[in-house]
């Protein structure tokens, strides 16, 4: 399927690896000119080289921390306009809310709620003026099905979800859609790290933890990043202009509810 977005310009955050990289890869393959952003220069340069090898869309990179005003200013000083924005930031660590002080909460909110809102604020008016825009926020399945111990992530991402629900209804008539992707268990380095930490706590091997988790999973497997990447690219396409303000769950059927 021709997504109709060849030549558009996209900002993809957290794109040096994992789900962010998968989104950038899918967009580049469809001819989108992609600017990838992450905090660490070395992995980011390597990711840009791999993406450029696809030979469709152009690839630029910029090492910046999008959770800071300084990092966002660096991005927009170099690249003021985007047709597509994919927001993405690593989730805060798990823990007991009784131990979280206000600084801990503010760090989580800055990364997973306020930074995406600032990126949207910097780009949405230009998108509406041009009559086309796609904003996709990578959040978490925990927004739909909260997990004990992930309160920092769930709380901050839920705030973003509520904000987007209101804003998206004001932009779609001018060609700009805003949607959230809610990934469940995907095959990323972060997931491997989580399995390793759980294995250490329980005196097991990471393989045992993974096998136990997959035995309970309806799909009996983890998701592949490319599956989410292609879903993101479709949401950014000209064919998805009537999908707006939605929270799209990609969890292989783990969520037990109907809605």
């Amino acid at each position: 399927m021709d997504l109709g977005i060849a030549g558009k310009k996209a900002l993809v955050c957290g794109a040096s690896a994992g789900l962010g990289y998968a989104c950038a890869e899918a967009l580049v393959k469809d001819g989108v000119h992609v600017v990838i952003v992450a905090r660490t220069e070395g992995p980011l340069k390597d990711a840009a080289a791999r993406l450029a090898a696809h030979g469709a869309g152009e690839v630029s990179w910029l090492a910046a921390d999008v959770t800071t005003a300084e990092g966002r200013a660096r991005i927009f000083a170099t690249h003021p306009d985007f047709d597509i924005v994919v927001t993405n930031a690593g989730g805060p660590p798990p823990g007991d809310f009784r131990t979280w002080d206000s600084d801990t909460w503010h760090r989580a909110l800055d990364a997973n709620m306020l930074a995406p809102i600032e990126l949207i604020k910097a780009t949405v008016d230009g998108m509406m003026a041009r009559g086309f825009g796609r904003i996709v926020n990578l959040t978490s399945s925990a927004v739909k099905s909260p997990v004990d111990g992930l309160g920092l992530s769930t709380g901050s991402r839920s705030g973003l979800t509520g904000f987007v629900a209101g804003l998206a209804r004001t932009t779609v008539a001018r060609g700009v859609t805003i949607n959230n992707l809610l990934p469940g268990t995907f095959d990323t380095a972060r997931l491997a790290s989580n399995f390793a930490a759980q294995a250490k706590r329980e005196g097991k091997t990471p393989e045992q933890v993974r096998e136990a988790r997959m035995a309970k999973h309806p799909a009996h497997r983890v998701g592949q990043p490319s599956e989410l990447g292609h879903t993101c690219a479709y949401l950014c396409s000209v064919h998805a202009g009537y999908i707006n303000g939605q929270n799209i769950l990609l969890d292989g059927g783990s969520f037990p509810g109907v809605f």
Side-chain angles (χ1 to χ4, degrees), residues 37-94:
V37 176
R39 288 176 294 181
T40 308
E41 182 174 310
L44 189 62
K45 289 177 66 176
D46 292 342
R50 295 197 305 275
L51 291 170
H54 292 300
E58 298 174 0
V59 180
S60 303
W61 63 271
L62 180 65
D65 184 353
V66 299
T67 69
T68 68
E70 294 79 9
R72 294 188 294 271
R74 288 187 60 220
I75 295 168
F76 295 116
T78 308
H79 304 278
D81 297 311
F82 292 98
D83 306 296
I84 295 165
V85 173
V86 180
T87 76
N88 175 39

Side-chain angles (χ1 to χ4, degrees), residues 8-33:
K8 298 291 188 184
K9 188 173 182 179
L11 170 66
V12 184
C13 302
S16 60
L19 301 180
Y21 178 87
C23 293
E25 182 178 44
L27 290 169
V28 166
K29 286 181 176 179
D30 278 288
V32 176
H33 303 321

